[in-house]
């Protein structure tokens, strides 16, 4: 389910890495607008659900997503490398969409649920982990494009 929701952000996230390599300001604006609107929409929906549904933030599906941990960073690292490979080689984007979904969407959901339920301190941790993963995905995407020697065509 997460892959279906976040997969549309796969292109903009990888696009954000690509714009640095290609130095394309127009694509940067498009990528950033897509990412920001997708993140805001995800958070709004999760906050509404969090305000309506009472849940325990110590459950195993929530608790690990409220603190920055090495496992999450490793997942973001793998997603950041796999994303560009999807676009530059013949690899299924569904697999990469799932990787990005695992790295980002649960964190946005947990952030919104905690925020909507009034657990502000825990929500901050989830959002911080989301930001770390977002940066890692884009940073390692950028590195992967450089390693693959992706560059602008000279006109």
């Amino acid at each position: 389910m997460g892959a279906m929701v976040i997969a549309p952000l796969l292109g903009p996230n990888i696009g954000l890495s690509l714009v640095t390599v290609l130095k394309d300001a127009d694509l940067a604006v498009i990528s950033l607008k897509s990412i920001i609107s997708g993140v805001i929409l995800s958070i709004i929906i999760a906050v509404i659900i969090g305000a309506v549904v009472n849940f325990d933030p110590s459950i195993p599906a929530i608790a690990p997503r409220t603190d920055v941990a090495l496992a999450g960073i490793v997942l973001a690292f793998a997603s950041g490398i796999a994303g560009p490979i999807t676009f530059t080689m013949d690899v299924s984007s569904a697999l990469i969409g799932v990787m990005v979904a695992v790295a980002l969407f649960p964190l946005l959901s947990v952030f919104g649920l905690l925020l909507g339920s009034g657990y502000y301190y825990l929500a901050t941790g989830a959002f911080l982990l989301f930001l770390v993963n977002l940066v890692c995905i884009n940073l390692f995407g950028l590195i992967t494009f450089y390693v693959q020697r992706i560059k602008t065509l000279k006109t």
Side-chain angles (χ1 to χ4, degrees), residues 17-122:
S17 299
L18 187 60
V19 297
T20 306
V21 175
L22 300 180
K23 299 177 179 95
D24 186 340
D26 293 333
L27 182 58
V29 170
I30 292 168
S31 294
L32 285 171
K33 282 182 181 178
S34 297
I35 291 168
I36 291 168
S37 60
V39 166
I40 290 171
L41 181 62
S42 298
I43 291 171
I44 289 171
I45 291 169
V47 166
I48 291 169
I49 293 170
V52 173
V53 176
N54 188 13
F55 71 97
D56 178 9
S58 66
I59 61 175
I62 302 283
R65 293 183 172 98
T66 59
D67 193 22
V68 177
L70 183 59
I73 295 171
V74 169
L75 179 61
F77 167 78
S79 298
I81 291 173
I85 291 172
T86 299
F87 290 98
T88 58
M89 300 179 165
D90 191 21
V91 178
S92 169
S93 63
L95 173 64
I96 310 310
V98 170
M99 291 182 75
V100 173
V102 170
L104 299 178
F105 184 69
L107 302 174
L108 286 176
S109 299
V110 167
F111 170 69
L113 289 170
L114 291 170
L115 196 63
S117 296
Y119 297 103
Y120 305 117
Y121 180 76
L122 294 174

Side-chain angles (χ1 to χ4, degrees), residues 126-141:
F127 192 71
L128 178 61
L129 183 55
F130 163 76
L131 290 177
V132 167
N133 282 4
L134 185 67
V135 168
C136 285
I137 287 170
N138 284 287
L139 175 64
F140 290 113

